[in-house]
């Protein structure tokens, strides 16, 4: 390591110590910013200390959970793993996660889609896991074709990286097709059966990535994900290397069987959290773990002990009432949360919080693409709006036939639900900047439940 890299590493580690040990604040990004300011090439230098290999997890929804489950699976083998578990997924966050220790066996890093162009050429991972692509933060990311271009160029700058792609997502397959033309090795995962679930009202992608013709689906799992093909014969779901079948999704969690040429026999996986989207997340994590040498039994033991700690499907009990906290930051994420609510047959309440801070995106017009009308179909559902854009959300809900009160925070939302039976759960659905304050509030008021 050069003198400049050594100084930058020392400065980053000192910043991490000051933040975490002295100020007791998050050290997920600033150490990396300090280090990169001193040596912009530091990520590449730090990557050389990773002896076994590295995996980058990318996609619009599900990155953090997939990334953390995969890291835990590798750690269960006794490996030392560097991971940005808090979800700091831009170059500074990845650099911060690489700073500890003089060596490691694996690096498992979540990456923001647009940041792949900085992360992949420096980290040069063995695998890039691409989960899905949806419209998100349009004022920052732009339309999806721009995101696709960035990922393709990032893979071109990391020629040794294998793309492990969701074969059910036409937008991801569009990336895979272009990357393969540039020499990238591609493997695919997906669900191999019709789940017979209601499909979302507004799919993200309807047209062929080659000719522009409208795609035909044998079935859709959610949003645009499913078994698709172009009637003109020039674009279709690829052959799957990891296939989920016998899929069961309910309020108690998910289970599914995985078959693959990389497995001697199919294996059944179970988790006590999630929805259909979680089947994809866990299938992706399992596929990457298998390629990294983790056996199926060890992976299942990780799922048995995994408890979300980052606000993703995290459960609390406040005053005897169950509170479920989850991130919902774009139409597809919200629609999947609405599906989760629909699977819960109890009377319930939902506190929906929308902010418009920089990391949320100032443009919240996407709330009109959320199928809030489905919330109005359930009996006994109380909806409460919150956040900086609570009034905009209240108007959107009014057009969906839902009268929503406004609450300033979770505590006030719980007071509004005070006349409901304590057996009625409260779902708290927030976008990015509202997630951590809500989590801190729930940790102060309640008890975390696995």
């Amino acid at each position: 390591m050069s003198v400049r890299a050594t100084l930058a590493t020392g400065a980053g580690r000192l910043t991490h110590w000051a933040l975490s040990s002295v100020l007791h604040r998050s050290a997920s990004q600033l150490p990396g910013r300090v280090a990169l300011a001193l040596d912009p090439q530091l990520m590449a230098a730090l990557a050389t200390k990773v002896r076994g290999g590295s995996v980058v997890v990318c996609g619009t929804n599900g990155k953090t959970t997939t990334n953390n489950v995969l890291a835990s699976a590798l750690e269960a083998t006794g490996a030392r793993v560097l991971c940005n578990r808090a979800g700091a997924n831009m170059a500074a966050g990845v650099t911060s996660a690489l700073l500890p220790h003089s060596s490691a066996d694996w690096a498992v890093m979540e990456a923001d889609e647009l940041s792949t162009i900085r992360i992949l050429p420096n980290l040069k991972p063995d695998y890039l896991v691409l989960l899905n692509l949806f419209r998100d933060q349009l004022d920052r990311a732009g339309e999806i074709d721009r995101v696709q271009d960035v990922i393709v160029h990032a893979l071109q700058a990391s020629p040794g990286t294998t793309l492990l792609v969701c074969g059910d997502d036409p937008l991801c397959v569009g990336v895979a097709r272009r990357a393969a033309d540039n020499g990238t090795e591609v493997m695919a995962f997906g669900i191999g059966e019709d789940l017979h679930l209601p499909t979302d009202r507004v799919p993200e992608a309807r047209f062929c990535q080659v000719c522009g013709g409208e795609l035909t689906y044998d079935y859709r799992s959610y949003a645009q994900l499913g078994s698709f093909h172009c009637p003109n014969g020039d674009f279709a779901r690829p052959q799957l290397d990891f296939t989920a079948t016998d899929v069961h999704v309910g309020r108690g969690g998910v289970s599914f069987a995985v078959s693959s040429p990389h497995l001697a026999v199919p294996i059944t996986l179970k988790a006590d959290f999630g929805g259909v989207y979680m089947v994809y997340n866990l299938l992706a994590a399992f596929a990457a773990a298998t390629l990294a040498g983790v056996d199926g039994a060890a992976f299942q033991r990780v799922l048995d002990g995994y408890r979300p700690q980052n606000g993703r499907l995290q459960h609390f009990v406040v005053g005897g009432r169950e509170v479920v906290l989850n991130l919902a930051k774009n139409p597809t994420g919200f629609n999947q949360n609405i599906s989760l609510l629909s699977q819960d047959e109890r009377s319930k309440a939902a506190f929906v919080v929308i902010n418009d801070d920089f990391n949320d995106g100032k443009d919240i017009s996407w709330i009109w693409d959320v199928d809030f009308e489905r919330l109005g179909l359930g009996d006994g559902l109380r909806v409460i709006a919150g956040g900086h854009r609570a009034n905009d959300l209240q108007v959107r809900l009014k057009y969906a036939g839902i009268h929503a009160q406004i609450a300033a925070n979770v505590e006030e939302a719980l007071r509004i639900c005070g006349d409901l039976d304590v057996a009625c759960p409260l779902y708290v659905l927030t976008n990015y900047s509202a997630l951590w304050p809500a989590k801190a509030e729930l940790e102060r008021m309640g008890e975390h439940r696995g």
Side-chain angles (χ1 to χ4, degrees):
M1 188 177 289
S2 69
V3 173
R4 185 175 186 179
T6 301
L7 290 173
T9 299
R13 288 175 175 172
L14 180 61
T15 304
H16 185 281
W17 173 82
L19 286 171
S20 58
S21 300
V22 179
L23 300 177
H24 304 290
R25 296 178 59 186
S26 169
S28 62
Q29 294 198 63
L30 186 58
R33 289 177 182 166
V34 170
L36 289 173
L38 295 173
D39 182 1
Q41 306 304 317
L42 182 62
M43 191 191 305
L46 293 173
T48 62
K49 69 180 180 180
V50 180
R51 299 171 301 197
S54 58
V55 182
V56 170
V57 179
C58 180
T60 308
N61 292 344
K63 296 186 290 291
T64 301
T65 299
T66 304
N67 195 62
N68 292 355
V69 169
L70 174 58
S72 296
L74 286 165
E75 286 175 338
T77 68
R80 173 178 280 178
V81 179
L82 299 174
C83 180
N84 54 347
R85 287 183 178 273
N89 56 25
M90 297 186 184
V94 171
T95 303
S96 291
L98 289 170
L99 285 170
H101 310 307
S102 57
S103 65
D105 300 301
W106 283 89
V108 179
M109 298 293 168
E110 170 187 341
D112 169 76
E113 300 89 284
L114 295 182
S115 294
T116 54
I117 195 63
R118 293 192 63 190
I119 294 168
L120 262 64
N122 287 291
L123 192 58
K124 296 196 178 337
D126 297 85
Y127 300 98
L128 172 67
V129 180
L130 182 56
L131 296 170
N132 48 59
L133 290 173
F134 305 117
R135 286 180 299 124
D136 187 44
Q137 299 184 28
L138 293 179
D139 47 356
R140 181 181 77 89
E143 290 294 344
I144 289 176
D145 55 354
R146 180 195 175 208
V147 177
Q148 290 176 304
D149 289 344
V150 169
I151 297 173
V152 169
H153 292 147
L155 284 165
Q156 196 169 7
S158 183
T161 299
T162 295
L163 175 61
L164 179 58
V165 69
C166 179
D168 289 3
D169 185 349
L171 297 173
C172 290
V173 174
V175 170
R177 185 183 178 110
R178 292 168 59 189
D181 289 343
N182 293 331
T184 297
E185 182 181 354
V186 176
M187 304 175 71
F189 62 89
I191 294 177
E193 63 188 17
D194 189 350
L195 304 183
H196 302 288
L197 296 173
T199 55
D200 296 338
R201 183 169 54 91
V202 184
E204 291 283 352
R206 294 173 51 198
F207 301 105
C208 174
Q209 295 280 291
V210 177
C211 70
E214 187 166 1
L215 295 174
T216 298
Y217 279 84
D218 300 317
Y219 54 83
R220 280 201 285 135
S221 302
Y222 78 95
Q224 76 267 17
L225 277 66
S227 177
F228 62 88
H229 66 275
C230 176
N232 296 325
D234 51 9
F235 187 69
R237 180 173 77 167
Q239 181 175 344
L240 301 178
D241 297 278
F242 291 87
T243 307
T245 55
D246 195 22
V247 176
H248 297 278
V249 179
R251 186 163 61 90
V254 300
S255 67
F256 55 96
V258 184
S259 57
S260 169
H262 299 272
L263 299 173
V265 295
I267 183 170
T268 297
L269 300 175
K270 300 178 181 179
D272 60 2
F273 53 90
V276 175
Y277 66 93
M278 193 60 70
V279 174
Y280 283 101
N281 294 345
L282 298 181
L283 177 61
F286 174 77
T290 299
L291 295 172
V294 179
D295 68 77
F299 189 87
Q300 180 58 58
R301 286 194 295 272
V302 168
L303 293 185
D304 292 340
Y306 185 80
R307 296 294 178 266
Q309 301 288 336
N310 51 21
R312 276 72 166 181
L313 281 178
Q314 196 167 352
H315 290 241
F316 300 85
V317 176
V318 181
R321 190 183 305 281
E322 179 185 5
V323 181
V324 183
L325 175 64
N326 204 18
L327 178 70
K329 62 189 179 71
N330 51 43
T332 299
F334 260 102
N335 287 337
Q336 284 301 291
N337 274 282
I338 290 170
S339 294
L340 283 176
L341 265 68
S342 300
Q343 291 164 9
D344 189 342
E345 297 175 354
R346 298 172 292 179
S347 295
K348 50 195 170 288
F351 179 37
V352 183
V353 188
I354 300 294
N355 284 347
D356 60 354
D357 291 344
F358 173 77
N359 53 343
D360 303 307
K362 291 292 184 182
D363 181 358
I364 67 157
S365 61
W366 55 267
I367 65 174
W368 292 89
D369 290 337
V370 178
D371 201 359
F372 285 117
E373 283 73 12
R374 288 171 59 196
L375 287 176
L377 299 178
D379 295 329
L381 175 66
R382 181 170 298 177
V383 182
I384 305 161
H388 303 159
R389 305 300 289 269
N391 294 116
D392 300 79
L393 181 59
Q394 192 179 39
V395 171
R396 169 66 185 98
L397 290 166
K398 181 179 179 180
Y399 274 86
I402 299 169
H403 172 72
Q405 295 174 261
I406 289 180
N409 49 42
V410 178
E411 186 173 10
E412 187 174 338
L414 284 165
R415 282 201 299 270
I416 291 173
C417 296
D419 62 319
L420 299 177
D421 189 280
V422 73
C424 171
L426 173 66
Y427 285 81
V428 179
L429 309 179
T430 78
N431 62 351
Y432 266 133
S433 67
L435 181 69
W436 300 110
K439 180 175 181 288
E441 194 179 359
L442 285 166
E443 288 173 338
R444 174 179 56 81
M445 292 189 300
E447 172 189 351
H448 177 232
R449 192 180 77 180

